[in-house]
Amino acid sequence: LPVGSFLPSWAAVGVNFGEPFSFSERTAIFKNLPRSEGKAKSIDLVMTEIALLIPRNYRGVYSVEANAAEMLRVRLGDSLTL
């Protein structure tokens, strides 16, 4: 190795998977919508669930939905699902 370089070291990594997510239960309400609209809403639903797992400042365009879901879960209890 060149002078002043160092070997990489191991670092602890944390992964948050969250609660199990049942896609079919939550998307049943979209089945009467046109296919493209139902697909878009399903994607938004999944992205909002992912946004709930990360810090607020990293949520981007899903921050509004995730923050609203977070507030509902606090008020109605952790068992609330989107």
Side-chain angles (χ1 to χ4, degrees):
L1 292 172
V3 175
S5 64
F6 60 93
L7 290 174
S9 61
W10 293 97
V13 175
V15 178
N16 185 358
F17 289 101
E19 294 295 318
F21 180 79
S22 175
F23 195 70
S24 60
E25 289 176 8
R26 299 176 189 190
T27 58
I29 59 174
F30 304 141
K31 68 180 178 182
N32 295 327
L33 297 175
R35 183 177 171 90
S36 61
E37 189 177 346
K39 184 177 178 181
K41 290 194 179 294
S42 297
I43 291 169
D44 286 342
L45 181 65
V46 171
M47 293 304 293
T48 300
E49 284 292 326
I50 293 171
L52 286 167
L53 298 174
I54 60 178
R56 289 181 178 187
N57 56 328
Y58 292 115
R59 292 178 179 174
V61 297
Y62 293 97
S63 63
V64 173
E65 291 89 351
N67 292 344
E70 213 170 42
M71 287 173 42
L72 280 172
R73 286 180 178 174
V74 167
R75 287 186 177 179
L76 301 176
D78 289 336
S79 63
L80 174 71
T81 57
L82 294 179

